[in-house]
Amino acid sequence: MRRAVHFVPMAFAHRYARDPRMSNDSIDIGTRLIPAIPAIPTSRQLFPPVALLPVVGRVIDVSTELPLAGVLVRWVTQATGGALRRLIDRSFEKAIVLGEAICDQDGAFAITLSQSPQAQQAACGLAWREEAKSYVVVADRTNENASSDAAEPVEVTDAIDDIVLRVSTHVQPDTESWLALANYLASNRMYRAGELTQQLIAPFADSPASAWSAQQRTGALATVSRALDDGNDAAPLPLLEQEHLLNLDALGQGDVVKALNNFRGADQFAQYGGRADEWFGGAFTPISKTDSALYRDYLRGVWVTASRRMHGPGVPDTSLEQQIVTRFHQNFFTADDT
């Protein structure tokens, strides 16, 4: 007897398992072979490898080649009317953010594709439009809708395995910023030149330098590097390995050269007015503040850090410090520790 033929709607043909002996282009439904429904493209087919794998790289200071931690990095593209187009400027004010990351202690970042519908759609466009491009940029801390001009944007391509963003724009911190950092170093018993450099490349969460822009930190690093480069050392020590003591009073006044060189050696000590019987091999530095005054500065710094997290960047430390005076009705700047 001839077997009955059961026709299966095409929409349900994918439910039937393929016989391994059959062609991949057909499905066995008993007595008839019907064409298989094309498989739905997977995410790997839909997106190029560059959109599937994390975009990895590093952020460094161009003058010292030191890494910069805590820098916000964004992977961006640009769209107009829903269609991706070639980036024609560097403002990125209308950029679509495909993903973002914060640099770790080594200045490294790994950006994964965002799950937002806008980012997913833009990534699909990157796969199908040859003219579409994407870039990695250093984000502006004061404007979330724009990129920073601190580093040249780097195009994301399959040929680049490790992206390096070099922060080349230097902005010198003002005296108020140096004073805040000097007080922080003193209250946390950080007296060595290498510890100053450490706070500039990877500042602690409560450090005033953590609120500085990438340009300010690289500007400070450039100043530190120039101050320590006297041209006499054939092979100068790396900045992080400088173990001599700092003059924190000079640092608070913005005199970085004196701050870094006052206790660097006996000759420099004498050059800045020190007496030979006060040198002690550079193992001692006069501290102008008492323990109570240092603790006062520490409390003020904790308040400023907490307030900055609430108000965001851009608010000067002096305004935040005034809040603690107003709230507690006490003078947190007094030198009287009696």
Side-chain angles (χ1 to χ4, degrees):
M1 177 181 289
R2 191 175 181 182
R3 295 176 61 184
V5 176
H6 299 279
F7 294 95
V8 179
M10 294 292 289
F12 299 97
H14 67 281
R15 296 185 181 180
Y16 290 79
R18 284 191 178 93
D19 188 326
R21 296 168 297 180
M22 297 293 114
S23 168
N24 288 333
D25 298 328
S26 61
I27 295 178
D28 181 9
I29 60 171
T31 60
R32 296 282 301 275
L33 297 177
I34 66 173
I37 296 176
I40 298 175
T42 63
S43 59
R44 186 170 294 277
Q45 294 169 320
L46 198 59
F47 298 134
V50 72
L52 285 172
L53 301 176
V55 177
V56 299
R58 296 169 293 134
V59 177
I60 63 173
D61 170 37
V62 70
S63 62
T64 63
E65 295 293 319
L66 290 172
L68 295 175
V71 177
L72 177 61
V73 180
R74 286 198 173 112
W75 177 23
V76 300
T77 187
Q78 199 164 10
T80 300
L84 291 170
R85 64 176 177 84
R86 190 181 300 273
L87 291 173
I88 61 175
D89 56 43
R90 295 295 171 84
S91 66
F92 293 98
E93 291 183 354
K94 297 181 180 179
I96 294 176
V97 178
L98 299 173
E100 63 183 29
I102 300 291
C103 295
D104 63 15
Q105 295 298 304
D106 298 321
F109 62 84
I111 307 176
T112 56
L113 180 63
S114 170
Q115 296 299 312
S116 70
Q118 188 182 36
Q120 293 286 322
Q121 181 181 4
C124 183
L126 286 173
W128 295 104
R129 303 181 193 279
E130 293 183 359
E131 72 277 7
K133 295 181 181 292
S134 66
Y135 294 82
V136 175
V137 299
V138 173
D140 190 341
R141 297 175 64 94
T142 61
N143 184 0
E144 294 185 355
N145 297 320
S147 71
S148 170
D149 60 354
E152 189 75 9
V154 177
E155 183 181 351
V156 179
T157 65
D158 294 336
I160 301 179
D161 295 329
D162 186 22
I163 294 173
V164 179
L165 290 170
R166 292 177 170 84
V167 180
S168 57
T169 305
H170 293 167
V171 177
Q172 291 299 325
D174 55 21
T175 304
E176 180 182 322
S177 299
W178 283 120
L179 177 60
L181 183 56
N183 289 335
Y184 177 82
L185 294 173
S187 61
N188 286 275
R189 304 299 197 273
M190 300 180 189
Y191 299 120
R192 302 194 177 275
E195 292 173 317
L196 169 61
T197 301
Q198 183 64 47
Q199 288 306 305
L200 294 176
I201 66 173
F204 296 159
D206 60 342
S207 172
S210 64
W212 294 6
S213 66
Q215 296 100 311
Q216 285 178 301
R217 287 163 57 190
T218 54
L221 282 170
T223 301
V224 170
S225 179
R226 288 193 300 268
L228 292 173
D229 184 13
D230 54 11
N232 296 326
D233 296 333
L237 283 174
L239 297 183
L240 286 171
E241 297 180 15
Q242 299 283 345
E243 291 294 320
H244 62 276
L245 299 175
L246 291 165
N247 184 332
L248 293 178
D249 290 335
L251 185 65
Q253 297 170 3
D255 190 346
V256 182
V257 174
K258 181 178 180 180
L260 286 164
N261 289 286
N262 197 160
F263 304 110
R264 191 177 180 183
D267 292 340
Q268 290 90 339
F269 182 71
Q271 177 183 345
Y272 287 104
R275 299 199 311 268
D277 58 344
E278 296 176 337
W279 171 233
F280 301 115
F284 170 78
T285 179
I287 300 176
S288 59
K289 296 181 180 180
T290 64
D291 288 342
S292 297
L294 292 175
Y295 184 64
R296 172 208 63 196
D297 293 343
Y298 166 77
L299 293 177
R300 198 170 64 239
V302 170
W303 175 271
V304 169
T305 301
S307 298
R308 187 178 293 113
R309 290 176 180 173
M310 292 186 291
H311 297 285
V315 182
D317 286 353
T318 52
S319 298
L320 299 177
E321 288 175 339
Q322 189 58 40
Q323 292 180 350
I324 189 173
V325 175
T326 303
R327 171 164 293 194
F328 291 98
H329 303 287
Q330 294 184 32
N331 185 2
F332 280 80
F333 299 89
T334 181
D336 184 5
D337 59 357
T338 57

